[in-house]
């Protein structure tokens, strides 16, 4: 009998029903050895629904399920439904506000994602966009780190961030990427329809995503360390956007 264990569901029947029910799934793992074509149906469903999947050794599934009878398949389940980019833009329109969106390029640490979602809620931004691959999704750890903010912040998961940024430009948004060497954030205008892009913990913003940005902004660094944790840098920049917006609307 397959079981549910916190953020994962395993067992062929359970995963099959999960995929058919259109529940939010972050990723599916299939056993790579000795499976033949046993998973072909599930693989096709995952591919059709654009759910990331990967083939791994049986030992990996054994470890993740504490040696339960996983039957060679495991799915990571998101704690809440993902939104769409249109949902985020629609929220801004419903509030009569310029879009204020955070885009995360391959941020893999769930604590960073959770902390940033919490800050997005605090500054009144309209949502977060993350990539489907090479990025942490909505997990229990993310939800816990966000201190409940994940229930209030729209998070969209997109296949192609560059294409998404180009679509946001067509909606009138100005894209600011955060990276060392850019113009100091406090010295540039961050008001109006605004998308802020934060890169991964190790590599920063990818080349193609950087090229899609309208400008690069940075924070002043006076110490001996030349970079900040992604959630710290992102939070400071989100508050800089809020500061400028508040100053612009104040009498």
């Amino acid at each position: 009998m397959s079981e549910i264990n916190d953020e994962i569901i395993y067992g062929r029947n359970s995963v099959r029903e999960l995929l058919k029910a259109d529940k939010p799934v972050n990723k599916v793992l299939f056993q790579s050895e000795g499976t033949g074509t046993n998973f072909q149906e599930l693989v096709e469903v995952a591919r059709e629904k654009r759910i990331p999947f990967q083939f791994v050794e049986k030992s990996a599934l054994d470890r993740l399920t504490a040696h339960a009878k996983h039957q060679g398949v495991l799915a990571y389940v998101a704690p809440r439904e993902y939104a769409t980019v249109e949902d985020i833009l629609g929220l801004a329109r419903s509030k009569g506000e310029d879009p204020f969106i955070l885009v995360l390029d391959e941020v893999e640490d769930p604590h960073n994602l959770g902390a940033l979602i919490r800050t997005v809620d605090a500054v009144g931004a309209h949502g977060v966009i993350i990539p489907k691959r090479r990025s942490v999704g909505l997990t229990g750890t993310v939800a816990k780190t966000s201190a409940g903010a994940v229930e209030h912040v729209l998070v969209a998961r997109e296949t192609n961030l560059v294409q998404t940024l180009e679509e946001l430009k067509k909606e009138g948004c100005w894209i600011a990427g955060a990276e060392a060497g850019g113009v100091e954030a406090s010295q540039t205008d961050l008001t109006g329809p605004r998308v802020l892009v934060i890169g991964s913990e190790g590599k920063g913003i990818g080349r193609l995503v950087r090229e899609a940005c309208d400008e690069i902004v940075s924070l002043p660094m006076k110490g001996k360390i030349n970079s900040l944790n992604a959630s710290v840098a992102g939070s400071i920049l989100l508050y800089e956007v809020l500061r400028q917006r508040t100053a612009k609307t104040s009498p």
Side-chain angles (χ1 to χ4, degrees), residues 102 104 112 115-116 119 178-180 185 196-200 217-221 226-241:
L102 177 66
L104 302 178
N112 280 339
L116 284 166
T119 305
E179 197 168 72
L196 179 63
V197 183
I198 303 294
S200 67
V217 299
S218 63
L219 295 170
M221 302 293 292
N226 62 4
S227 65
L228 290 171
N229 172 280
S231 64
V232 174
S235 295
I236 294 171
L237 289 167
L238 285 166
Y239 266 99
E240 176 59 26
V241 176

Side-chain angles (χ1 to χ4, degrees), residues 112-126:
N112 280 339
L113 177 55
L116 284 166
I117 289 174
R118 187 173 183 176
T119 305
V120 164
D121 178 64
V123 301
H126 301 109

Side-chain angles (χ1 to χ4, degrees), residues 18 26 35 60 70 89 111 118 141 143 152 154 157 172 193 200 234 242:
L18 174 70
N26 288 325
T35 59
H70 51 70
L89 292 171
H111 297 91
R118 187 173 183 176
T141 301
H152 308 288
L154 297 178
R157 194 167 61 152
S200 67
L242 176 61

Side-chain angles (χ1 to χ4, degrees), residues 106-137:
E106 298 187 14
V107 170
E108 298 179 336
D109 187 329
H111 297 91
N112 280 339
L113 177 55
L116 284 166
I117 289 174
R118 187 173 183 176
T119 305
V120 164
D121 178 64
V123 301
H126 301 109
V128 179
I129 301 173
I130 60 176
K132 281 190 173 182
R133 299 184 182 276
R134 295 183 294 277
S135 171
V136 65

